[in-house]
């Protein structure tokens, strides 16, 4: 097994549309994988968001409500795709 290089933390993706509807999906394992990992998120997981009116996308790591920064490590994000069938 390869060692984990990042501190444990949730990675979240939030999509917001122009009507201020947003939805967030979290993955507890994404930052702790020792190898490149594809995270496929079905659009249905973002219930209520109008994908024809996307205004903003945010990727966060850790607890957004934390009052002090924490954790350490490196995350590389490669190729964010939208609208294609999940493989």
């Amino acid at each position: 097994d390869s060692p984990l290089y990042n501190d444990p933390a949730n990675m979240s993706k939030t999509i917001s549309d122009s009507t201020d509807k947003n939805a967030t999906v979290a993955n507890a394992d994404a930052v702790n994988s020792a190898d490149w990992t594809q995270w496929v998120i079905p659009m249905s997981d973002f219930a209520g968001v109008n994908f024809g009116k996307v205004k903003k996308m945010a990727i966060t790591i850790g607890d957004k409500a934390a009052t002090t920064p924490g954790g350490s490590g490196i995350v590389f994000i490669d190729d964010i795709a939208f609208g294609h069938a999940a493989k």
Side-chain angles (χ1 to χ4, degrees):
D1 285 329
S2 299
L4 301 178
Y5 296 104
N6 293 328
D7 291 341
N10 278 339
M11 177 181 278
S12 300
K13 182 174 180 180
T14 301
I15 304 287
S16 303
D17 67 23
S18 61
T19 65
D20 293 326
K21 296 207 174 166
N22 63 67
T24 301
V25 176
N27 183 325
D29 300 320
V31 300
N32 289 327
S33 177
D35 298 313
W36 183 90
T37 303
Q38 182 178 16
W39 181 17
V40 176
I41 308 169
M43 292 171 67
S44 60
D45 286 2
F46 296 99
V49 174
N50 183 336
F51 279 91
K53 297 181 178 185
V54 171
K55 179 177 165 184
K56 180 170 63 172
M57 179 189 74
I59 297 172
T60 56
I61 298 173
D63 181 1
K64 293 192 295 185
T67 57
T68 58
S72 66
I74 297 173
V75 174
F76 296 97
I77 297 174
D78 182 23
D79 294 336
I80 298 171
F82 165 76
H84 299 283
K87 295 181 183 178

